[in-house]
Amino acid sequence: LHRVDRRQRQMCIRDRPQSAWMAAAERIDHAINNTLSDERGVWALTAGQERSASELALLSTSTNGISQRVIDRIVHDVDGTIWVIDYKTSTPMAGESSDEFLQRETAIYHSQLRTYAKLVSLISQPQAIIKTALYFTALPQWHEVQLSIAQE
């Protein structure tokens, strides 16, 4: 309840109706509780603390200029694999199977995860194994997204 009270105060500042911030606070608490009760969710938050990062901001350059990407979570596991984790709050649409949902979400975020993995490869050891995953906090559900990322 303390967390809800604090969120309520923060959301009131943004002139949202009370019903909107109460619903948002409930969704946030649900996502937090799901993640903290899920073995993989806890692992993603606690594994490899000395070499992991949250909200890692990286800059890249291209012919379009400079862009900043913020990666939700990077985890170095005990095997040396670097995990690029993108947290999502989305849920399946009505009538959508779990497989259909994961395929749709993978299609939506594949390019973003590829970009993140390429950026991480540029700041990692040449032999580093980089894997990517979507973590759906509302379910909770871990979904590894297979990419082939060659270091350039």
Side-chain angles (χ1 to χ4, degrees):
L1 227 66
H2 174 69
R3 288 188 305 214
V4 172
D5 291 339
R6 183 178 46 159
R7 285 192 207 104
Q8 287 174 350
R9 288 191 302 273
Q10 292 170 344
M11 293 176 84
C12 279
I13 294 169
R14 296 187 180 106
D15 292 328
R16 303 272 188 226
Q18 181 177 5
S19 60
W21 50 260
M22 286 300 291
E26 288 176 18
R27 284 192 305 274
I28 292 166
D29 277 345
H30 179 72
I32 290 169
N33 290 333
N34 276 347
T35 302
L36 295 178
S37 65
D38 179 57
E39 184 178 332
R40 195 64 183 226
V42 171
W43 173 86
L45 292 172
T46 60
Q49 290 296 337
E50 66 282 349
R51 295 186 59 215
S52 297
S54 296
E55 297 295 314
L56 179 64
L58 297 173
L59 296 175
S60 62
T61 59
S62 70
T63 55
N64 296 328
I66 298 173
S67 64
Q68 179 180 14
R69 308 291 178 155
V70 179
I71 301 172
D72 291 345
R73 184 83 174 136
I74 304 277
V75 174
H76 292 253
D77 72 13
V78 294
D79 297 326
T81 299
I82 301 170
W83 284 94
V84 175
I85 304 166
D86 198 19
Y87 291 102
K88 298 297 174 197
T89 59
S90 48
T91 57
M93 295 185 293
E96 185 176 39
S97 73
S98 179
D99 286 343
E100 291 168 333
F101 168 70
L102 294 175
Q103 287 175 3
R104 179 173 55 82
E105 293 291 305
T106 298
I108 292 169
Y109 296 108
H110 189 270
S111 176
Q112 175 182 316
L113 287 171
R114 177 177 294 287
T115 299
Y116 289 173
K118 283 182 180 180
L119 288 171
V120 170
S121 76
L122 295 173
I123 61 171
S124 302
Q125 296 295 323
Q127 70 278 11
I129 297 169
I130 300 169
K131 295 184 178 183
T132 62
L134 297 170
Y135 185 80
F136 300 96
T137 60
L139 300 179
Q141 170 110 29
W142 172 275
H143 178 64
E144 182 176 348
V145 177
Q146 301 288 328
L147 301 174
S148 60
I149 303 298
Q151 285 190 319
E152 298 170 1

